[in-house]
Amino acid sequence: MTLSPSSSPAQPAEATEPAVLNVAMVGHNFMGRAHGNAYRQANHFFALPMQVVPYVVVGRDLERAATAAQQLGFQYATTELEAVLADPDVHVVDVATPNDSHYPIAMAALRARKHVLCEKPLAMTLTQAKAMAALAKKNKVRVGLWHNYRRAPATQLAARMIARGDLGAIRQVRAVYLQDWLASATVPASWRTSKKDCGSGAHGDLNAHLIDLTRALTGLEFEAVCGLQQTFTKERPTGKGKQTAKVDVDDAFCFLAKFRGGAIGTFEATRVAPGRKNHNCIEIAGEKGSIRWNLERMNELEVFSCDDPKDGQGFRTVMCMDAVHPYAANWWPDGHIVGYEHTFVHHVVDFVQALATGAPFAPDFADGVAVQAVLEAALASAKKGTWVKVPR
């Protein structure tokens, strides 16, 4: 394997130090930067049973990969994925690449019996997702899916409140994920606007998060969906003169949901909502109250309780940055906020602790299968114009 050192290799750990967990990260752009930061920070703020080491970045271009490795704190860079997978010093493979490469890279890593963390959505199809989950189980390796919004202190608190019955039985879920980066027809085409590269548009990109977050917070499982999609800009410039490329994925995708047990839900994802940069919002209503979380105010959880006195009822805002809140005690004094990047750190922390203790970790590839089943059923529904059952 041709390795390009980005800095001096780390010194061997003393015998009393925690075991080392070397990470090979495939891909190094937006998600790679978020993941790389998490690997650097995890041990600095949390007492972990293993030392997480950003070991090697794998890219298609060695010069770009080496630059990324140096910037993100990895020891080496390479273009030789097969050699990385054959390296016994690599313990975890992080798949931080576009959607169409998740399946082949993750399957190769699983065959090499590496632990795997994979970006979402897990795969291009339900068949692929099932194969990935099955191989992980067969080879007895640990896997995780980067649905980082599960790990904001506020969403963790929401899940805790629902689990202990604060809202009573869940009746409705209303979830939206709104962005505007494709609102203008002048925005160039990319892999995110090509079906063969990404599978679907706003649906797989954004609804995947909403689906996972709903399952994580409520414990509800989807029974049937009814979808509607629209592509408003059919062609986009390629950036090469006057050439254009066909857009064959959705700009916006909405669907209704029925959950097992009788609850219902509405889901909306769009990348063409002017003024909305990253508006990820979920409201959950139960028989005894409601909660609402918005990523753009990610440290706050809005809570309504029917048990409050009638003359004092109303939504109250809980600032989820005190030591009693999930993860918060490891960061700053009470009331000092955390940000988007910290959710990735929490993901790494929980994964490492699960590795060390044998405890369950979620979301794993089985959760990825569940999300993919909903995504695929909604796509089929939009095509057929009717309700479609979500396969179990």
Side-chain angles (χ1 to χ4, degrees), residues 262-304:
I264 61 173
T266 60
F267 294 80
E268 177 187 356
T270 180
R271 302 191 293 202
V272 294
R276 294 298 191 185
K277 301 304 177 185
N278 202 31
H279 184 80
N280 176 2
C281 184
I282 184 168
E283 183 170 322
I284 300 167
E287 60 184 352
K288 295 167 52 179
S290 299
I291 57 172
R292 182 177 184 271
W293 179 75
N294 175 9
L295 173 63
E296 292 177 335
R297 303 180 70 91
M298 63 173 285
N299 293 285
E300 300 175 2
L301 185 66
E302 295 180 63
V303 180
F304 178 92

Side-chain angles (χ1 to χ4, degrees), residues 12-20 48-51:
E14 298 293 336
T16 56
E17 292 296 313
V20 168
L48 296 179
M50 298 178 178
Q51 181 67 38

Side-chain angles (χ1 to χ4, degrees), residues 179-184 187-188 190 192-193 205-206 236 270-273 276-277:
Q179 296 179 344
D180 71 353
W181 62 279
L182 285 177
S184 171
V187 175
S190 69
R192 290 188 181 276
T193 59
D205 187 16
L206 306 180
R236 290 187 176 276
T270 180
R271 302 191 293 202
V272 294
R276 294 298 191 185
K277 301 304 177 185

Side-chain angles (χ1 to χ4, degrees), residues 308-354:
D308 289 342
K310 292 289 185 182
D311 59 355
Q313 284 184 350
F315 274 93
R316 65 180 185 273
T317 300
V318 180
M319 185 70 170
C320 301
M321 280 311 302
D322 291 348
V324 296
H325 296 123
Y327 307 113
N330 290 83
W331 294 106
W332 321 119
D334 286 0
H336 291 68
I337 64 175
V338 298
Y340 172 76
E341 70 275 17
H342 296 90
T343 61
F344 294 91
V345 179
H346 301 158
H347 187 98
V348 170
V349 166
D350 289 349
F351 188 73
V352 171
Q353 290 175 336

Side-chain angles (χ1 to χ4, degrees), residues 23-335:
V23 178
M25 187 171 71
V26 188
H28 49 76
N29 288 325
F30 173 25
M31 285 295 97
R33 292 172 62 205
H35 299 183
N37 176 70
Y39 297 128
R40 290 198 312 273
Q41 299 300 332
N43 286 104
H44 293 307
F45 289 89
F46 292 80
L48 296 179
M50 298 178 178
Q51 181 67 38
V52 181
V53 176
Y55 185 62
V56 58
V57 169
V58 184
R60 290 176 293 186
D61 178 89
L62 184 58
E63 183 177 353
R64 291 178 60 228
T67 298
Q70 183 172 5
Q71 291 177 338
L72 299 175
F74 284 74
Q75 295 179 17
Y76 303 105
T78 183
T79 59
E80 300 176 32
L81 178 59
E82 289 186 8
V84 168
L85 297 182
D87 185 349
D89 289 333
V90 171
H91 308 120
V92 177
V93 174
D94 181 354
V95 184
T97 57
N99 301 358
D100 64 328
S101 59
H102 291 180
Y103 175 76
I105 295 173
M107 290 295 280
L110 293 171
R111 284 192 288 269
R113 287 180 163 78
K114 307 296 185 183
H115 304 302
V116 178
L117 290 169
C118 186
E119 257 304 322
K120 61 84 209 165
L122 180 58
M124 296 283 280
T125 67
L126 182 57
T127 299
Q128 287 184 349
K130 287 181 176 179
M132 294 162 78
L135 186 55
K137 183 177 181 180
K138 177 184 176 182
N139 284 356
K140 298 180 179 179
V141 294
R142 302 302 298 272
V143 293
L145 192 58
W146 284 97
H147 280 297
N148 58 299
Y149 299 132
R150 285 185 178 220
R151 287 183 161 81
T155 56
Q156 288 277 309
L157 176 60
R160 178 192 297 175
M161 294 175 69
I162 292 172
R164 72 188 181 201
D166 291 12
L167 272 61
I170 302 304
R171 292 172 171 170
Q172 284 185 265
V173 177
R174 291 175 289 276
V176 299
Y177 204 150
L178 315 177
Q179 296 179 344
D180 71 353
W181 62 279
L182 285 177
S184 171
T186 64
V187 175
S190 69
W191 69 268
R192 290 188 181 276
T193 59
S194 169
K195 186 175 181 179
K196 71 178 181 64
D197 295 328
C198 64
S200 65
H203 187 47
D205 187 16
L206 306 180
N207 270 333
H209 275 305
L210 299 179
I211 294 164
D212 180 77
L213 194 55
T214 296
R215 295 181 68 250
L217 299 189
T218 68
L220 295 174
E221 294 293 350
F222 289 76
E223 181 176 292
V225 292
C226 185
L228 173 67
Q229 65 178 328
Q230 184 62 269
T231 304
F232 298 101
T233 302
K234 310 295 184 184
E235 291 186 347
R236 290 187 176 276
T238 63
K240 300 176 181 178
K242 295 183 178 181
Q243 294 182 19
T244 62
K246 180 182 178 182
V247 177
D248 53 2
V249 297
D250 57 276
D251 284 328
F253 198 111
C254 306
F255 70 92
L256 303 175
K258 300 175 185 177
F259 296 100
R260 300 176 203 167
I264 61 173
T266 60
F267 294 80
E268 177 187 356
T270 180
R271 302 191 293 202
V272 294
R276 294 298 191 185
K277 301 304 177 185
N278 202 31
H279 184 80
N280 176 2
C281 184
I282 184 168
E283 183 170 322
I284 300 167
E287 60 184 352
K288 295 167 52 179
S290 299
I291 57 172
R292 182 177 184 271
W293 179 75
N294 175 9
L295 173 63
E296 292 177 335
R297 303 180 70 91
M298 63 173 285
N299 293 285
E300 300 175 2
L301 185 66
E302 295 180 63
V303 180
F304 178 92
S305 174
C306 297
D307 292 335
D308 289 342
K310 292 289 185 182
D311 59 355
Q313 284 184 350
F315 274 93
R316 65 180 185 273
T317 300
V318 180
M319 185 70 170
C320 301
M321 280 311 302
D322 291 348
V324 296
H325 296 123
Y327 307 113
N330 290 83
W331 294 106
W332 321 119
D334 286 0

